Amino acid sequence: MSQASPRVVIIGAGIVGANLADELVQLGHTNTLVLEQGPLDIPGGSTSHAPGLVFSSNPSKSMTEFAQYTIEKLTSLVGPDGRSSFLPVGGLEIATTEARLQDLHRRAGWNRSYGVEAHVVDAAECLTKFPMLNPELVLGGLYTPHDGLALAAKGTQLVMERAKAAGVEFRDRTVVTDIEQSGGRVTAVICDDERFPADVVVSCAGFWGPNIGKMVGTAIPLLPLGHQFAWTTPAPSLAGINELPSGASRPILRYQDRDLYYREWGDRIGIGSYAHRPMPVDLDALPRYRPEEITSERMPSSLPFTPEDFAAEWEATRELLPDLGNTQIQRGFNGIFSFTPDGGSLVGQSREVDGFYAAEAVWVTHGPGIAKAVAELIITGQSKTDLSDCDLNRFEDVQTTDEYVSETSQQNFVEIYDIRHPLEPRLKPRNVRTSPFFSRQQALGAFYLEGAGWERPHWYEANAALLDQMPDGWAASPRDDWSRMFHSPIAAVEAWKTRTAVAMFDMTPLKRVEVTGPGAGPLLHRLTTSSMLRAPGAVSYTLLLDAAGGITSDITVARLSEMVYQAGINTNGDVAYLTREARKHCEQHPDQWVTVRDITGGTSCIGLWGPLAREVIKKVTADDMSNDGLKYFRTKQISIAGIPVTAMRLSYVGELGWELYASADVSQRLWDVLWEAGQEQGLIAAGREAFNSLRLEKGFRSFGTDMNTEHEPEQAGLGFAVKASKTDDFVGKDALMSRAAAATKRLRCLTIDDGVSVVLGKEPVYVDGVPAGYVTSAAYGYTVRKPIAYAWVPTDIQTGDAVQIEYFGQPIAATVVDEPLYDPQMERLRGVSLATSPS
């Protein structure tokens, strides 16, 4: 963008807002105004009091990359004193229990998966790196040598000065009171009597973000919470160690077994605690300081210290760091930070209003990295780092209510340092969203996990009665303690019955929208990699790409009639994207109106799959469900026992069958009719654990887990979804060829050599002893009799090559194999071969 390009107004001059202005400058855009309600030298938000610890370890590749960029950028920001804005003292996470020590191996694996140096060290090495530690408590630690301390306030001032020099305008002591919009777009920011025209508005207001969002009708689902931080009086063993009063030379320290962290602060120790009760903050009750009253110890984001909440943690601290035995708490405060329903940041463009962006719930660790991503999003339309983990629009409407945000965010505060299994569901709130089949599932003993508020059966205890009937070979070997969590041997029964008889899967939680109007076909045709202008009845598996050719979603689109399409999508982010694009289409083509409506909650879906599925369905419908009557990847309206049903000849488990959609009000009857009709064929209800195993045997991808915007179709094994016959332009088409040629990694199928070890995802993959990729999806393959893992590995890896997967610090041998492992000729899916005993 040039100086004459759209006007960007950034609300908030903390570490995110200031860095966003600077990153826009780096991309050539200087037509930017930054508004800050406090003084620019001490804005008074979280940046002003952040302790600055930067630990890279994170299960999210994107958040790890953001942290790495933060380190890189702050290191490059050198002040007049000749010192950078980052202290590379390293990071040390200690373990005082065996469970924590094992988890540190897992966390080290995340680092290695994403290219970050990490070492699990013994207790003696921990004491060498941080001599104040109690040798009787520490069992070992995770050392990340390139982590350290962000001097956030200093770095923020330096990027402000650089942005100002490039022509960016900063205004402090300016409170935003409203945001104007017209025709679904932002047009100006109002600050009392002043009006600032804007084409793009970005809320970087921190915990004040929800108030900014309300001005444009966009939910910013975060909760401000108080978080304790305190300083000790000088510790004798630190005398003369650090040159500066706030300096540090030893690693930043995490004591996660007690929800505590530490950093040197000159000759004192700074202590942060998550061990106390959650302290929600009412923004309306915050002290109102005049700008001239704000100091480093007096600001809106710094609340009075509550020593009674710190007493137990102070004792735990003195036990861990005995040198502090003769010190006292010199001062402390309860600083305000932002928490969200899933613990992630809130980044991206509003679904409701074009031109309104948010970069909220962003901590110092990721601030400059996320600022860079948002700048790319504004200027080029897409971030180089995938943003799906922190997409502003990822939450369902029920998850953005004040009650849900408050309860879940407080729970995330409590659990922030807990050892959490990747499948572990939240304890509350539960039963927020249930399918019409919920009571029937409960009667069958469903064990539920939770996702997007939905209760999703993982397996059914009723099927345990079939374990004794299951043929030899289907059961998996015993698992280790970690992979055994949230697993049941019953999943083997459910896989067996799906492959050899017939099963019903509740697919209701999978997101779907209805796209309607004369513009529906042209809109979808422009956005997807397949033709959307085929005759009604056609179903297409297709991709949504960004302009750079990255995969933003994989979707299934059915043309139900001339002007009605149903699209099975992945997330609420897809709804936001389709909604924005529909608005643009209507503006550009007034005669081709189009609407996008989320129909998930008002409908249901049953996957009826297995070689005997046709034997079941023909009992309850007079419609022709033969191969000729409804071909693979076709749809039609049918009647099942008088219930109107949309049947799609699809299967995500690799067996004959259909996805059966019905209105929610008649869905329970649909379940009952199919259940009764299928008893002769041995019909069962099956859950997500079996489903995941079956889909991996068939090589089916899962967006967000297996691929995202960082990947183009060919390297993800989805080149077939880009139809060569489609000569019309579509989003991302021009970038595909060069993007594919530049790919250095490819998604490949691995099988575990020992036939026993089950990994869970995000583990590093080694080639010739060097970390070279990471696992995405994994499961035991009950049909193929071995564990499966999909992984991103270098493109030169060939079928038959040996690799190793690091699992809790131990190597597991694996082999690269061709895919799919099951039914590569597609005979079972197409109903050509319906043997009930697959080999």
Side-chain angles (χ1 to χ4, degrees), residues 305-365:
F305 189 61
T306 50
E308 66 274 14
D309 292 305
F310 198 71
E313 285 55 63
W314 177 230
E315 291 305 314
T317 293
R318 292 197 287 186
E319 182 184 19
L320 180 73
L321 307 174
D323 287 2
L324 299 181
N326 293 321
T327 67
Q328 303 297 322
I329 297 300
Q330 185 176 67
R331 72 180 182 92
F333 68 100
N334 293 352
I336 304 176
F337 287 91
S338 300
F339 282 75
T340 63
D342 63 2
S345 298
L346 304 170
V347 181
Q349 186 173 189
S350 164
R351 177 177 68 181
E352 294 80 9
V353 182
D354 290 341
F356 180 78
Y357 293 77
E360 302 289 17
V362 180
W363 292 10
V364 164
T365 298

Side-chain angles (χ1 to χ4, degrees), residues 162-325:
R162 186 161 73 184
K164 287 178 184 177
V168 173
E169 181 184 0
F170 285 78
R171 286 276 302 266
D172 64 358
R173 297 170 170 81
T174 306
V175 177
V176 173
T177 55
D178 199 6
I179 298 174
E180 276 188 10
Q181 53 181 301
S182 177
R185 291 197 60 86
V186 295
T187 55
V189 174
I190 307 301
C191 300
D192 291 324
D193 296 332
E194 292 188 277
R195 180 182 185 275
F196 300 99
D199 302 291
V200 172
V201 175
V202 190
S203 178
C204 303
F207 55 79
W208 285 285
N211 288 350
I212 301 298
K214 288 176 184 176
M215 297 177 187
V216 291
T218 294
I220 306 292
L222 65 80
L223 180 71
L225 285 167
H227 163 58
Q228 292 198 305
F229 193 85
W231 292 265
T232 67
T233 53
S237 61
L238 291 179
I241 295 293
N242 297 305
E243 179 181 353
L244 299 177
S246 60
S249 55
R250 292 169 180 163
I252 53 177
L253 187 69
R254 273 177 172 167
Y255 181 16
Q256 292 158 303
D257 290 317
R258 289 301 300 264
D259 295 322
L260 293 164
Y261 65 83
Y262 307 91
R263 58 155 294 183
E264 290 181 343
W265 208 292
D267 60 358
R268 299 172 294 162
I269 291 291
I271 309 166
S273 171
Y274 293 103
H276 54 80
R277 61 189 170 87
M279 303 176 184
V281 174
D282 180 359
L283 295 181
D284 293 332
L286 285 179
R288 303 288 181 179
Y289 297 118
R290 293 191 301 273
E292 62 272 15
E293 295 177 323
I294 295 177
T295 68
S296 60
E297 296 184 16
R298 180 185 173 91
M299 62 184 76
S301 61
S302 179
L303 301 178
F305 189 61
T306 50
E308 66 274 14
D309 292 305
F310 198 71
E313 285 55 63
W314 177 230
E315 291 305 314
T317 293
R318 292 197 287 186
E319 182 184 19
L320 180 73
L321 307 174
D323 287 2
L324 299 181

Side-chain angles (χ1 to χ4, degrees), residues 385-396:
T385 300
D386 179 66
L387 293 175
S388 55
D389 283 348
C390 51
D391 186 351
L392 170 65
N393 301 293
R394 68 188 180 274
F395 296 110
E396 300 295 321

Side-chain angles (χ1 to χ4, degrees), residues 561-576:
S561 65
E562 196 67 28
M563 292 198 296
V564 179
Y565 292 74
Q566 181 174 310
I569 58 177
N570 285 295
T571 68
N572 223 32
D574 293 340
V575 179

Side-chain angles (χ1 to χ4, degrees), residues 77-85 154 157-158 161:
L77 294 172
V78 178
D81 57 0
R83 294 184 171 92
S84 84
S85 302
K154 175 180 180 179
Q157 291 302 312
L158 290 173
E161 292 170 11

